Amino acid sequence: MRGYIPRKIYMPFTYKMMIPYLVLVLLTDVLIGYISYTMLIQSRTEMAETNIRTALKQTRNNIQYQLDEIQRMSNTLFTSITFQNALQNRGEPLEVMLKMRDDMIPQMKAPLQLYGNKIRLAVYTVNDKMLEVPGDNMSTPINRSDYYVLSSQSIENTEWFKSILSLNKNNLWMQIDTDSQLDNISHFRKLVDSSGISSVIGYVRVTARFDELLGNFDTFPIEQGISLRLIDVATGANLYMRGAPDEQIYQGSYLSVREEIPGTNFVIETLVPYAYLNKDASRMQKVIGTVCLISFLVMAFIGFIVARLSGKKMKRIVTLIRSFQEGNFLKRIEFSGNDEFVQIANSFNKMATSIQELIENVYVQGIQKKQAELDVLQAQISPHFLYNTLSTIGSLANLGEVQKVTKMVKALSKFYRLTLNGGQVYIPIGKELEQVESYLEIQKVKHADAFKVYYDIDPEIKPIPIIKLILQPFVENVFKHAWFGETIAIRITGKRLGDRIELKIIDNGIGMRSETLKRMLSNTIHLDRYGLRNVEERIKLRYGTDFGIHIASYYGAGTTVQIILPIENTEMRENEEQLS
């Protein structure tokens, strides 16, 4: 039972083209959608980031302003001579109390009333005669502005005071005592006697709440995952934080925006989750996806209509091609309009007219190629060379030079045997060199060894076949045109250059002037003087225009002929494939 062979389903080319067209439209819609989505998200992210940065700068300016205000309070007390004198008064208790009431307390209360937020201003005095003015308990949150006059002995044994003294620094912003638990920060500085002794007469501490320093948090929606914190870059510690705790920050993906506070080691940092920045992504994705889907459907419908219209014209073109396949070149096709189908129809019509001419041209070129081979073969079997050689042999025979006669006859026989080569066009490079050597053997007898020949041939290239009779014409030209002295030297080289073969014939003869060489290379003079025309035409016929002959000559110094041939012989390989 014969197996069932399924028939291939016929699909017009225009409908096949619909597949890549639809793929292209789909990819284009996806790409445009992706770019649109990315740009919208990026725009939304940049807008949100800009708002966050603007708010953060405002917060930085606010805290910097308040820190400067507190610094000015401290500077006022530090530079006030009246305040210093009152702080150092060691008189009677009544006198000390009056001095405090008139000179100290007003200078402490005034900035508290002018400062907008709630702060605590404490002065620690080393004067044991000074009366203390206790305020609210410092371990409780700051609910109102208050001032204190306390003895320095109350803080001398505390760890935070000892750490400040060990730093040997002054005018510091840091968290001391209970500030860390209460989310406060304090400004601490020494008060020094300005009378010239420069001794410490006390300390000033101004404590403020972080939430009031940082200002309004409405611009930082903490409930949506945004966190705000104040960091001491010197220690790396988080001094204050609002929003997500540290463990959530380390587990999530956040955008970090920082602003440094000039004059301090503090940095305000806002951590914004990318989920907040991309919160509208889902809605935008749906809208863009819907638009892209509608665009794809519209483009698919348009493509289908175009495919149907184009299919009719393509069918007529296929019919014309089938008639060409059957050998009928008389049919023609006409389309109206001015588009690609009209150009295709005109091209087919012209092709039908020129096919016969093309066949004829190819046939004529083949005949010309064979004729060129025949002409060059006949040209090389020069009767003049043969007559001269036979004449020389006859003269030598009359003189009784039997050995030289024998040598010339053998060389002449070998020369023509290799030249004819059984009618074969190609010959190994080694055989080509033997043909040159046989020619030179004849010349040695005629010229009594008045010239020298040197060979530098890479053994690797000797088996490679090349077209015959490409070296001997140039060697012959040395004797005809280059030899003007008593002696001459000839050097023949051959080597491999990648996928090519380079053969050179070098002589130290008379050479050519530069203008003569230029005219010869531009085909403005008769090229046969150096055997160029026959060899050049045969090389280009067999191997193509990429290969050929190059000549370099210097008048009075000699001439170099370079022959470039391919290693791979396409024509021989095709002939072998046809025979096999």
Side-chain angles (χ1 to χ4, degrees):
M1 182 178 180
R2 293 186 302 174
Y4 173 74
I5 301 177
R7 292 183 59 187
K8 293 183 179 180
I9 300 176
Y10 173 77
M11 179 181 292
F13 176 78
T14 51
Y15 292 130
K16 290 181 180 178
M17 290 299 297
M18 279 286 293
I19 297 175
Y21 167 78
L22 293 177
V23 172
L24 180 61
V25 170
L26 180 61
L27 292 178
T28 303
D29 284 343
V30 170
L31 180 61
I32 294 175
Y34 173 78
I35 294 175
S36 302
Y37 174 77
T38 303
M39 292 180 65
L40 287 173
I41 292 299
Q42 183 178 0
S43 175
R44 174 67 178 84
T45 302
E46 290 176 354
M47 185 182 301
E49 182 179 347
T50 301
N51 294 337
I52 293 295
R53 289 186 184 276
T54 302
L56 193 61
K57 288 181 180 179
Q58 292 176 350
T59 303
R60 180 204 62 188
N61 294 337
N62 182 61
I63 190 173
Q64 184 179 355
Y65 171 79
Q66 296 189 68
L67 294 180
D68 291 342
E69 286 295 313
I70 294 175
Q71 182 71 47
R72 280 192 286 271
M73 293 183 197
S74 172
N75 292 340
T76 301
L77 299 181
F78 181 84
T79 58
S80 174
I81 303 299
T82 303
F83 186 85
Q84 290 184 14
N85 292 334
L87 193 62
Q88 297 178 80
N89 188 7
R90 291 180 173 272
E92 294 297 327
L94 179 61
E95 181 184 355
V96 171
M97 181 188 69
L98 294 175
K99 199 73 172 175
M100 289 178 61
R101 186 194 67 181
D102 297 333
D103 296 336
M104 283 184 60
I105 302 303
Q107 294 194 50
M108 295 177 67
K109 292 177 65 176
L112 296 181
Q113 294 173 354
L114 294 175
Y115 189 76
N117 294 326
K118 305 176 184 64
I119 58 173
R120 287 172 176 166
L121 174 59
V123 175
Y124 298 94
T125 175
V126 299
N127 185 1
D128 55 358
K129 299 293 185 178
M130 188 66 58
L131 301 177
E132 291 191 356
V133 179
D136 294 337
N137 188 354
M138 287 192 177
S139 61
T140 60
I142 301 176
N143 294 319
R144 66 186 183 93
S145 295
D146 202 1
Y147 65 93
Y148 306 75
V149 179
L150 304 172
S151 174
S152 62
Q153 295 179 355
S154 63
I155 61 172
E156 286 177 351
N157 296 323
T158 60
E159 292 297 329
W160 63 266
F161 183 72
K162 292 179 181 179
S163 65
I164 292 177
L165 294 181
S166 64
L167 293 174
N168 195 24
K169 292 183 179 180
N170 192 27
N171 209 7
L172 301 175
W173 283 98
M174 59 190 306
Q175 285 186 316
I176 56 179
D177 200 8
T178 59
D179 287 346
S180 179
Q181 290 81 11
L182 299 176
D183 287 335
N184 297 337
I185 189 169
S186 295
H187 173 71
F188 191 88
R189 75 180 300 172
K190 298 177 184 178
L191 294 176
V192 182
D193 184 8
S194 61
S195 61
I197 302 177
S198 298
S199 60
V200 177
I201 61 176
Y203 304 92
V204 174
R205 175 186 175 185
V206 183
T207 304
R209 291 167 47 173
F210 271 126
D211 55 353
E212 291 188 342
L213 288 177
L214 295 173
N216 191 355
F217 284 85
D218 293 341
T219 53
F220 302 97
I222 304 300
E223 68 280 356
Q224 297 190 39
I226 296 179
S227 62
L228 180 70
R229 56 184 179 177
L230 185 68
I231 303 173
D232 186 351
V233 295
T235 62
N238 284 345
L239 303 180
Y240 179 75
M241 185 168 184
R242 285 285 300 272
D246 289 343
E247 55 269 22
Q248 293 183 12
I249 292 175
Y250 294 138
Q251 293 174 1
S253 179
Y254 287 77
L255 169 67
S256 174
V257 182
R258 288 190 169 198
E259 288 288 342
E260 296 181 357
I261 301 176
T264 69
N265 293 327
F266 302 152
V267 171
I268 307 175
E269 181 183 39
T270 301
L271 297 174
V272 185
Y274 284 105
Y276 170 79
L277 298 176
N278 301 331
K279 61 182 180 179
D280 297 330
S282 178
R283 182 173 58 85
M284 289 187 290
Q285 186 176 10
K286 291 179 180 178
V287 173
I288 293 174
T290 302
V291 172
C292 290
L293 178 60
I294 294 173
S295 172
F296 174 77
L297 294 176
V298 171
M299 295 301 293
F301 176 76
I302 295 174
F304 176 76
I305 298 299
V306 173
R308 289 203 60 177
L309 295 177
S310 302
K312 294 180 180 179
K313 294 184 177 181
M314 290 296 295
K315 188 175 181 180
R316 295 178 62 185
I317 294 174
V318 170
T319 303
L320 178 63
I321 294 174
R322 288 176 178 172
S323 66
F324 284 0
Q325 185 179 4
E326 296 170 358
N328 185 357
F329 302 106
L330 300 177
K331 288 187 177 181
R332 300 293 182 266
I333 187 172
E334 297 293 338
F335 288 134
S336 59
N338 185 19
D339 55 16
E340 288 78 9
F341 287 104
V342 175
Q343 295 179 11
I344 293 173
N346 293 336
S347 298
F348 271 112
N349 295 338
K350 292 179 181 179
M351 182 180 66
T353 304
S354 62
I355 281 181
Q356 293 296 335
E357 298 176 0
L358 180 61
I359 294 174
E360 183 179 353
N361 291 337
V362 171
Y363 178 75
V364 171
Q365 287 180 3
I367 294 176
Q368 291 176 347
K369 181 177 179 181
K370 296 299 182 180
Q371 186 63 39
E373 292 289 348
L374 181 60
D375 292 342
V376 73
L377 185 60
Q378 291 174 348
Q380 296 304 323
I381 307 176
S382 173
H384 181 70
F385 167 71
L386 178 60
Y387 294 155
N388 287 342
T389 304
L390 292 176
S391 176
T392 302
I393 292 173
S395 299
L396 292 174
N398 292 332
L399 295 174
E401 298 287 348
V402 178
Q403 186 176 0
K404 291 183 179 181
V405 169
T406 303
K407 188 175 181 179
M408 286 191 69
V409 170
K410 288 183 178 180
L412 183 63
S413 174
K414 185 177 181 180
F415 174 80
Y416 278 105
R417 176 172 54 83
L418 293 172
T419 299
L420 295 173
N421 191 32
Q424 298 296 319
V425 176
Y426 294 96
I427 187 173
I429 292 179
K431 292 294 183 181
E432 179 73 7
L433 291 171
E434 290 182 19
Q435 196 262 357
V436 173
E437 290 172 356
S438 63
Y439 173 80
L440 291 172
E441 287 293 329
I442 297 172
Q443 297 299 331
K444 284 181 181 179
V445 177
K446 293 173 63 175
H447 297 283
D449 292 330
F451 62 91
K452 298 291 184 181
V453 181
Y454 303 93
Y455 296 94
D456 184 11
I457 306 297
D458 186 356
E460 179 187 359
I461 70 171
K462 287 186 177 181
I464 298 175
I466 60 173
I467 56 175
K468 63 184 179 181
L469 299 175
I470 62 172
L471 292 177
Q472 187 271 338
F474 297 106
V475 175
E476 184 178 352
N477 280 336
V478 174
F479 293 97
K480 288 183 178 179
H481 306 291
W483 194 353
F484 281 91
E486 295 181 358
T487 62
I488 194 169
I490 304 172
R491 184 181 182 87
I492 301 175
T493 67
K495 61 182 178 180
R496 177 172 181 168
L497 299 176
D499 59 350
R500 299 186 175 196
I501 300 171
E502 178 193 64
L503 300 174
K504 286 185 178 180
I505 300 94
I506 307 168
D507 67 73
N508 60 351
I510 191 63
M512 290 182 288
R513 298 183 186 275
S514 59
E515 57 271 15
T516 303
L517 179 61
K518 289 180 181 177
R519 289 198 304 271
M520 185 184 69
L521 295 178
S522 61
N523 294 328
T524 59
I525 65 173
H526 189 33
L527 301 183
D528 282 343
R529 179 181 178 188
Y530 279 84
L532 175 62
R533 175 167 293 168
N534 286 338
V535 179
E536 179 81 1
E537 288 180 355
R538 289 195 300 138
I539 290 175
K540 293 190 180 301
L541 277 172
R542 294 290 178 178
Y543 300 117
T545 57
D546 292 338
F547 306 94
I549 298 169
H550 306 277
I551 298 177
S553 184
Y554 187 79
Y555 186 71
T559 302
T560 298
V561 178
Q562 181 194 46
I563 304 173
I564 301 296
L565 303 172
I567 293 179
E568 182 70 19
N569 194 319
T570 305
E571 185 178 27
M572 287 188 65
R573 188 178 67 248
E574 291 176 352
N575 292 337
E576 291 174 357
E577 291 176 355
Q578 290 176 359
L579 292 175
S580 61

